[in-house]
Amino acid sequence: MIEQMIAAHSILVKIFLVFLVAGIAIPFMTAKNPAGFKKASFIYTMIFQALATMIAFAGIVVIYAGHSGWDTASIVMVVVWAALMFIEIKKYKLIKLSDLHNRNTHLLLKSAFFKISLVEVFLVVAMVVLMILKAKGIVAL
C-alpha cells in the first residue's frame, strides 16, 4: 500500500514537471496580447497551486501512513514546496497588479515569467534527482 502511495506521489510530481515545462511557453504564446498573458498567468497559477497541493497532500499521507517520520528529505521537500508556492504567488500577484498595456512592463513581466519558470523547473528537477540518489543509496538524507 505504501508503494502505491509513493507511486501516486511520484506520478503527480512528473505531471507537475511536465506542466512546468509546458508553462514556459506562455510568454511566447501571448506575445502580442497583454490581456491574454494576464488570463493565461491566472489559469497557470491556479493549476500550479492545485498540482502542488496534491503533491504535498500525497507526500504527507506517505509520511504518516508509512510511519517514516519527518526525516531530512521530507523537510527539504516541504521547504521546496513552500518556496515554489511563495514564488508562484508573488509572480502572479506582480502580473495581476501591473499595467500590462505598457509595452515595456509587458516585456519585463514576460521575461520574469520565463526566468521564474526556469527556476521552478530547476527546483523540482533538483528535488527529483536528490530523491533518486537517496533511493539508490548514494545520498544519505
Side-chain angles (χ1 to χ4, degrees):
M1 174 133 156
I2 298 300
E3 294 81 21
Q4 291 173 336
M5 290 187 289
I6 292 172
H9 181 73
S10 176
I11 289 168
L12 284 170
V13 170
K14 290 172 185 160
I15 290 169
F16 186 57
L17 191 54
V18 168
F19 172 75
L20 289 175
V21 171
I24 292 173
I26 288 175
F28 303 110
M29 293 179 353
T30 60
K32 306 274 186 210
N33 185 1
F37 176 64
K38 188 177 272 192
K39 189 173 189 176
S41 175
F42 173 73
I43 293 168
Y44 176 85
T45 299
M46 294 303 112
I47 296 171
F48 180 101
Q49 290 176 342
L51 285 170
T53 302
M54 284 188 272
I55 290 167
F57 180 76
I60 290 171
V61 167
V62 167
I63 288 169
Y64 283 108
H67 305 290
S68 62
W70 288 95
D71 61 352
T72 307
S74 300
I75 293 169
V76 170
M77 282 189 267
V78 169
V79 169
V80 168
W81 177 83
L84 287 169
M85 291 297 270
F86 178 80
I87 291 167
E88 186 61 30
I89 290 167
K90 287 293 187 184
K91 177 179 78 174
Y92 175 69
K93 210 171 191 181
L94 180 65
I95 292 170
K96 179 183 175 185
L97 299 176
S98 296
D99 176 24
L100 292 178
H101 295 293
N102 180 343
R103 180 161 166 67
N104 290 334
T105 304
H106 184 220
L107 291 174
L108 178 69
L109 289 176
K110 285 188 340 182
S111 173
F113 188 101
F114 177 74
K115 291 172 186 172
I116 291 169
S117 293
L118 288 178
V119 168
E120 291 170 343
V121 168
F122 171 76
L123 285 171
V124 173
V125 168
M127 195 68 235
V128 168
V129 169
L130 185 65
M131 294 311 294
I132 289 171
L133 294 175
K134 179 186 173 202
K136 292 188 179 214
I138 298 172
V139 174
L141 286 178

